[in-house]
Structures are given as structure tokens and as C-alpha cells.
Amino acid sequence: PDGPAMSAWQCQGFDASVAQALDWLTYGPVPKPSPGQGQALVRVHYAAADAMDVKIITGSYKSVFHVNRFPFVPGFDAAGEVAELGPGCSKFQVGDKVVLCLGLHESLCKDSDFGPAGAFAEYCVCPERQMSKVPEDVLLSRVAGLPLSGLTAYQALFTGRGSSTKGDPLGSVTKGSKVLVLGGNRGPGHLAVQMAHRKGAMVATTVPPSCIHWMVYIGANRVINFREKDWTEHFKGQDFDLILDCVGWATTLEEIDRAAEVLCAGGQYISISNFECFDALGESTERNGRFFKAMVAKADSEDLDALVSWIAYGDLDVFVDQLCPLAEVRHALRESVSGQCRGKVLLCQCSTAKAVPHHFRPRVAAGSRVSSSTMRAWQCFSWEPDFSQAVKGLVCADSSPLPAPSQGQALVRVHFAAADPWDAHLLTGTHSNVLPAPAFPFVPGFDAAGEVVELGSGCSKLEVGDKVVLCLGLRESLCKEADFGPAGAFAEYCVCPERQMSKVPEDVLLSRVAGLPLSGLTAYQALFTGRGSSTKGDPLGSVTKGSKVLVLGGNRGPGHLAVQMACRKGAVVTTTVPPSCIGWMLDLGASRAINFREEDWAALLTGQDFDLILDCVGWAACAKEMDRATDVLRPGGRYISTSNFKVFEALGSSSESRGRYFQALIPKVDVQDLDALVGMVAAGDLDVVTDQVCPFSEVRHALRESVAGQCRGKVLVCQCGAAPATSRARGVPYGVSVPTAAAPQLCTSTMKAWRCHSLDPFMAPAVNSLKFEDHVPMPPLGHGQVLVRVRFSAADPADVQLVTGAYSNVFNIRTFPFVPGFDAAGEVAALGPDCAKFQVGDKVVLCLGLLESCAQDAPFGPAGAFAEYCVCPEQQVSLVPSDVMLSEVAGLPLAGLTAYQALFTGKGCSTSGQPLGNVQKGSKVLVLGGNRGSGHLAVQMALRAGADVTTTVPPSSVDWMCDLGAQRVINFRDTDWVEELSGQGLDLILDCVGWATDHEEIDRAADVLRPGGQYISISNFKAFDDLGASGERKGRLFKAMIPKADAADLDSLVAWVDASYLEVVTDQVCGFAEVHHALRESVAGQCRGKVLIHQCCASHHRHQPCATSCQDLPRSGHMPLPHGEQGAAGGA
């Protein structure tokens, strides 16, 4: 195009078919619009896909909305910043953050001077009177989906500046009004539910089954599953004041009459979708004494201002179902009309936008229709004995044929699949003697969780839309007569016999059961036989109370489930695991956990007469090892292997050796056994721990992790595209929180804690000198203090520096012995006098602080988090939202406050009292040690503020930093960052590694900074001492900092975690007995993020996982970054 151009989507013409209409959309360069009188040109950061967009491009409302030219740019809602102002504009300034509604009538009427529409582009023009200013502390993503849906709900309920299509006033909902919202899960619907609830109305709504609990969460009093109940029958005669129809339910006079029976006399039925059937009612819109009105929202800035202020005050949340890049407009529009979304679908126009941020949930689109004959799937084209080559040989095909369900089968849309070592065996042909060769190419993957989208003939157990978990099975999908295999879960859809599927209760997340089938059936049948048998047809285990069970590989998928099941049965359980999992196994209930790297379990347990050994690692690979295992079993005991089979074949049909039985097991996929396991998960009696959740594109990585032997539990693959790679820290259960007591009862004067009795300048002896003590006095509780039951604490390099006396000139340790540890997360156990902020039972995270707990006048220190309980002043404690796991924030305080105050000052200052950073959009920031605790958080924060971020990391973390969004990542082992960046005029260097130790290094660093730039060190302080109070060197400022433990700053950080704008990555979770190991790891410099300590392991008893979780509820943010989110696209 001539003149300035921009990228935009255009509609070339109408087509009544949605699929064809979407195909008419084209993407490319178009002329950049210019603002006219009273208009503003807005650079679009986010747009919202709306069902109304689809109705416009299909010509559904041609009689109402006039499209007067083609091609045109669709899209009504946008949020961004003002780029240019036309003449006569006085309300805004260039650079203002705004949200706007281009409006239906406003942009589609015949005399519109700027339409039609226009938001699906880099820039759009909008009249000033249809725009609202967004407060600096409100993220654009929080308001982008607000205008059309919010104005519709607001004007329908309260009239505002709106009216019906015939000019009549709309609703006047007040306290006590009875309101029914049809389609409460939709864009206008979920906002109407919140608005009516906040007004004091009694709110009922109809939604698909997957949204029932969400509606209760946001304020609905009554929720109807429209698939199971007829709302007109259910609410007949209940005299509702207003029905808001967001789905276009009333299409005939008969349906209007049925709806009238639900309304009170004079009540209103307001439809935002189907208009035609109301025309027959005439001008009065009256029917049986009730009023039926159609409405189109008016794009009015006064109403929009009111809505934006509600968002700013936290009185309204626009829930975002998915965030798509601009290139996926067609997908976004399909989702917006599917009827299964929770809230809105947003488009991110920023060119650097990645897939979907992890705080937007994977959709559970109950009953979604399959509109394509192809799907995405991973395929294997041949066996390859070398595993690494076999994994590399997998191909992700975008156009694999969609399988069709046959007799007794169901087609399932897969939301989660589980990577399993059996997938590796299948790809490499390891057990070709047991599992026959499949037909190539085939789709691997045995376990899946999702929803039924189509049923074959003869299916009676399930219905379309049901949430299910399934096991495609080894023998079932690989035997010669298998009618649906082999396998098939690593795809968007898979076919499975109904007899191999279990229905998932509505209050159980799919992610909680996706890893259950193969591993759960293996453990269950090995221990209790169930419907299974050995490969030779013999019965398997019969574990009962008092049985002695040994699980080899208790950290693995079947292993950790077997440990839990056997413990629940009353068995005495021993297990072998890597050292990092010992505490976890004890917490799960194992009586003994053996570090297999340091101890030979066969020698250690010889003669102990175990009833059953479950081998999840393939230990017995030869006759000699079988003999050694025999010495551990009692006569008649069983050794059951889930991996190596060949060595057992020499035993013959009896499977007996020296009076013990050696059996190989391939689980049988039996729905009765699977139902039992799902019931155990639903009841909270079994927890499928998830080590990692990988996106669909990273199936190869998931498979490698599943066979590495280091995972805790299962590795899941999220087919919905919503999970980031390895989004969960290793060892932190996905979607499972540590249980909290509503009001913990203290019945002891002592506790377990680690204590330091003296300082030692050398790290190794200093760390080793820490002693674990069983009877440490409970800390006294003073004025304004809270006693916290610690669930997680974080190991930090500052802990090591404290016990080595490295900063004895700064931190004055006066009292020995003392309990180290600065960061903790847990629940309030007791309150001191004058505490008003918290209640007993609240989930909290706290920072005991360095200066706060180690200064001479500190009233409660030093430190104290490496204990069962700790005391902390109320002003250093933050409340943790109920749907945030404690493990997600336990590593946040010290590292997060350090990064936050270094970059943005906050409540902090340098050690000499000077302000710290002022990072904003366009700032050039270098983080030394971006892989460390403070470093990886600083990288995310700076990116969110719009800064250009460079970081130095070890080679193993280079890809991770790139994934976080850092524009430049330097491998410090290969490259001298000073030489690489010399002369580049950086604004701020945050040193998380203590790089600058002398004046020579300070001078070299100065060459990288601009004049007036800052070098902020959080580690080495002595090098800066003789620079004076100003810290000036060659026109640059060098400052040391110790973070201030301030609840206001910490509250901001917790809110970012809640909104998923910030992720505290956890490298390891260690048991309470492993504090020495945790501290060593924290200073090794190789960790990714933080090392946590799980205090609940101290008592060596099991803590039950929560039976339900709020983790599937969409959450929107409540706390922005200090400088908006202009740089959000490259963020964490």
C-alpha cells in the first residue's frame, strides 16, 4: 500500500458458513489509518475476539448492521496506547494507556466516519468519546476483554447509557432483585453474574457442567447444568425480575412463552443475540405481562469509565480463557463462538508474543464439536534401538487423519497425556518378544485425560462432553487383534474403547488424573492383583495390613503410587530413591527410604523377609541379581518387575527360584480397577504427583524426562497449548497444595529445628555444623508478631554467608545457638497482641529479613525459618491467596524483594541509604547470574517493565533464559561479558553473583554502563566501601544493597504470582532432613531458581493432599508492574 502501512486482518466478503467466513479473512499489510476530528489513533496491544465479530462476517445481522465497504478490518474491543491525536481531542495525551469500544452501531451505521470495526490490526482509529483511560496500575490485559461484553452486561442490568433496539430502557437491578443469566460462562455472562452479585441481587445462571464450580466462585447463588436440566421447568413460577440471555435461547414465540413463566409480572427478558423473534411482538415488546427486549450495547465512555474503575478497585474481573497471538485470529474467533469458553479470548498484537501464558487455563470444552478431518499428532515411523535416535525420529504431523470411533468406542479430545517409560520401550522395540511390532507409522502415548466429543455405536456408559481418563493399554492396543491401536494419546484426539475409560468427577481436575492410568493400574494390580495377572497368567500381590513391601524406584510413576497405596493398606513400606527424594518418600508414608546411590539395598536388607518387592526400575537383569533379591524375600515372597522381563523367562512356567516367585507384569486395562483409582484420587486418598507439564510441542523432552529416573512422579503433556515448557518445578506437585489447618492447635512447648551453634569461615564445616534438634523451645510471641507453622522454607546464599560470618561487619550475630533461614511459607498458628491483619489459619508467606532479624536491636532474630514454627512481625508477612500453592511463593520473599527493590527501589535503598533502580520501558538492564534466585526474578520483572534485558548464566541455563524472554543471553564460561558489552551504555547492572571484588573489576564494569548508570551488588560489599557514600566511580554509581523486608512490596510480588505475571522457579524441593544439601545447592551456582525445604517431612508422617483445588479457576491479575506492561510480550 501507498503511505504508512500496518499489519491487519481483513474481511473480504460475507459468507453464511462460519468456516467459509473465517477463510475469507486475510492477513497482510494495509494502509495505516489517520485520526479525524475528535478521534485518536491507538496502537493496539490486545484485542478481544467476540461472538459478534463472527456474526458480522457471516452477515447474520445484515438487516441491523450495515457494512458499507469491503474489505474491512473486524474487531470491536482493543486496549493499547494513544499514538496520535486528531484535531479537537482534549481528553487524552499521546502515550496514555486506553481501552476502547469501536461499537456495533457506532462503526457499522451508514454514516460512520471510522468503521466498520478495526481492532484486529496494529493500529486502529476510535472517537475519543468511546475510549477510557486505563490507570497506570491496571494491566491492559485485564481490561482488553471488557468493552463490548462489559457494556452489554452493565447496560442490560442497570440501563446506563444504553437502551433496547426499540429505544426502551433496560434493567434496573437492585439489592434483592432476582436475576437469571443464560450463558454465565460467556463474555457478557460472567461479567453480569459478578455485577448483579455485587449489587446484592440473587443470581442464578446456566452453564456447561465444567463451569459450575467457577460460577459459584464468582458469586452465583444457583447454577444449572443446562445439559441435564431444562431451566424453564426448573425455575418455572419463581418470579425472576430479569433474564439476560447471552446465548440466543429464545428463537420462537413458544420459547418466549416458556420464558414468561419464569419471570415475575412486569419482568424483563433481555436478549443480546437473537433479535428476529422479538419483532413479532410489536413496539410494546410485551407478552403475557412480561417484556421481551433485544439490545445492542452503546459504546459510551461514561459507562466504560465506570467499568474500568471497578476493575481498578478489584470489584470486577474479566476472566481470560485463552490468549492467542495475532496470527491466530481464526482460532480465536472459533473459540469465541464455541460456547465453551470461560470468559474472553484475547489476541496479543505484540510481535514477540509467545503461545499462551501459563496462567490461562487449558480449556475443558465440554462437548466441543470436531470440525476437521485432520489433527495434530506425533508419529513414529520405525523402531530404533537407540532411545535418543528413536525420540529424534518422532515427527509432529499437522494433518494426521482424525480417527473415527467404531462399535463401542469413543473419540476423545485430549487435554493432557502422560509420558511413560513404556512409550520409550515401544519406540525402541525393547520388548518386541512381549509386545508385537505395531503398524507404522503410529501415534505413541498410552494415557490421556480429556472429554468425549463423539460416540460410536453401542456406547451407553458415557455422553458427549463427559470428562474422562483413559488407558489405551499395552496389550490392548498392541496385540494383533487390537481394533484401535497402537496407542495414540500424543495427539489432539484419540479413539478408545468405552470399557477402558473412566468418568472423571466434575470437581477433579483432569491434570490430577492424567498420569494415573498406566502407572496406577501397574501399582494397584502388582500390590492387590485386581483384574491383572502376570505375563504368565499367575495372580500377583495380596498386600494387607502388616505386609512388608519394598518398592524399587519409589520416585517413579508406579513407584510413588505404590508407596501410597501400600501405606494406606497398613503395610510397612521401604523404598529406594535418589537422594533428593528421600524426604518426599518419608512424607508420603514410607517407613524407610534408601539412597540407592550410596547404599546397596540388597546387602542392606538381606534376611529381612519382605513379602513383596515391586521393581519399577528393571533392577534384576541377570540370574545373579535374582539370587541376591531372593535373600531379601521371605519364602513364598514375590518379586514383581514392571520392566525387565527376559531374565524371568529362564525360570519356566512356575516362575519360582529358591522358594520365591519372580513375575513380570503388564497391567490389564480394566475399567473397574481404573474407576477404583479415580475414586481414590477424588477422595484425596491418592495423589498423582506431577513433576513437569510440557506443551504439546515438547513431547520429545517429556519422553526423555520420563526415562531419566530423576522425576518425582509423572511427566504430563498438555495438548491445549496452555502450559509452558517444564512449567512446574521439579518435585512440586502440579495443582496440589500442601494442606492447611483452619486453626492449628498448639499442644507443645518445643519444636524441631536446625540450629547454628557457632560461626566458621569455611563453608563446608559451617554448613555441616548445623544441627537438627528435636526439642528446641518454641519462639516467644511478642506484640505485633505472628507465629507461623512453616510448611516450606527457602535455602538462600545469604544463609550460608550468615553461618560463615562473611558479613559480620553488617550482620551482628549476638545469640547462639540460633535458627537460620529467612524465607518461609505456611499458616498462622497464633497471633500476638495488637495483630489485626491476619487470622489464625491464614496462608502466609514471610521474610524474616537480614537487617531486621540480625541487627543489634532486632526483637526476634536472628532468622528462624528452618524450623517447624517461626515468629515474624506482622509488617513482614503477606497473605497468600487461597488458590496459590505455598510452594509457589515460598522462594519469593528474599529473592523477590531483592530483585524488585534493586530494579524499582520500592521500599528499599542501598546500604548507604540511596535510592536504587528506576527501570522502565526501554531501559537497558544486565543481570549477572540470571539463573539464580534473585536473578531469574529480576529478568522477568525487567522484561515486564519493557526493559531490554541481557543476562549471564552457565551454559545449561542459556535456553531457559531465552524462553523467559531475555533479549541476549551470555554463557559466562565462554564469553567475557565485560568485553562483549563494553561501550553499550547500560542503565543498570544487577550483580547476583558478587562479580566485582576489587577496583579493577569495578573500572571494567564502568565501561559497560552509561554515565550515571548504576551497578547494584547484592553480594560483595567490601569492594565498594572506599568509594564513599556516593559510590561514584568514573561517573557511574556502584551500590550495595540488602533488601528491606516490607509487606507492601511483598504483597505486590504475591499478587504477581497470583496473576501468573511472575513465576518463582524451583530447582529442587528437599526434605527437612536435607538442609545441609539444600544450602550447598543454593550456593553452587548451578541451580535454576530456588531450592526449597519441605518442613512437613520433619515429623515423618504423611500429610494428606487436598481432595479438591481451586487451581482450575481462571485468575486475573490484581497488581501491575511499576511501569505498566508495554514490554509484556517478551516477559516471563
Side-chain angles (χ1 to χ4, degrees), residues 392-414:
K392 287 180 181 177
L394 289 177
V395 174
C396 186
D398 286 331
S399 301
S400 295
L402 187 76
S406 56
Q407 178 77 24
Q409 296 178 350
L411 179 66
V412 174
R413 181 174 181 222
V414 179

Side-chain angles (χ1 to χ4, degrees), residues 316-335:
L316 186 67
D317 275 326
V318 183
F319 287 88
V320 178
D321 185 272
Q322 298 181 49
L323 178 67
C324 305
L326 182 61
E328 296 189 5
V329 158
R330 295 189 183 103
H331 169 79
L333 289 173
R334 288 189 197 100
E335 293 294 288

Side-chain angles (χ1 to χ4, degrees), residues 639-824:
Y639 185 108
I640 300 174
S641 176
T642 68
S643 187
N644 283 335
F645 299 163
K646 294 180 181 178
V647 70
F648 294 179
E649 292 176 358
L651 298 178
S653 58
S654 68
S655 304
E656 187 266 340
S657 176
R658 290 171 53 193
R660 281 75 173 175
Y661 296 92
F662 290 80
Q663 300 171 310
L665 162 67
I666 297 176
K668 179 182 178 182
V669 183
D670 182 89
V671 72
Q672 261 185 280
D673 287 354
L674 189 55
D675 284 345
L677 293 171
V678 171
M680 290 160 72
V681 172
D685 294 330
L686 186 66
D687 179 21
V688 186
V689 174
T690 301
D691 184 272
Q692 299 178 48
V693 182
C694 304
F696 187 61
S697 59
E698 298 201 359
V699 160
R700 295 189 185 103
H701 170 80
L703 289 171
R704 292 188 193 103
E705 291 292 295
S706 71
V707 297
Q710 305 306 312
C711 289
R712 292 193 175 190
K714 299 292 292 185
V715 178
L716 298 188
V717 175
C718 180
Q719 261 85 335
C720 306
T726 60
S727 60
R728 283 285 155 186
R730 173 161 294 179
V732 181
Y734 186 88
V736 179
S737 58
V738 175
T740 58
Q745 298 298 314
L746 302 181
C747 55
T748 178
S749 60
T750 63
M751 64 178 181
K752 295 179 173 66
W754 286 85
R755 293 210 288 183
C756 174
H757 290 259
S758 64
L759 304 181
D760 192 302
F762 298 99
M763 188 195 78
V767 170
N768 290 335
S769 70
L770 295 179
K771 294 181 180 179
F772 180 76
E773 299 174 19
D774 283 325
H775 299 290
V776 177
M778 291 282 285
L781 189 60
H783 278 269
Q785 296 179 350
V786 295
L787 179 68
V788 175
R789 169 72 165 95
V790 179
R791 299 292 180 178
F792 291 90
S793 56
D796 194 272
D799 297 306
V800 178
Q801 289 160 351
L802 186 64
V803 299
T804 57
Y807 296 145
S808 55
N809 60 325
V810 182
F811 306 136
N812 186 5
I813 306 299
R814 312 170 314 281
T815 305
F816 291 95
F818 71 91
V819 178
F822 295 101
D823 290 353

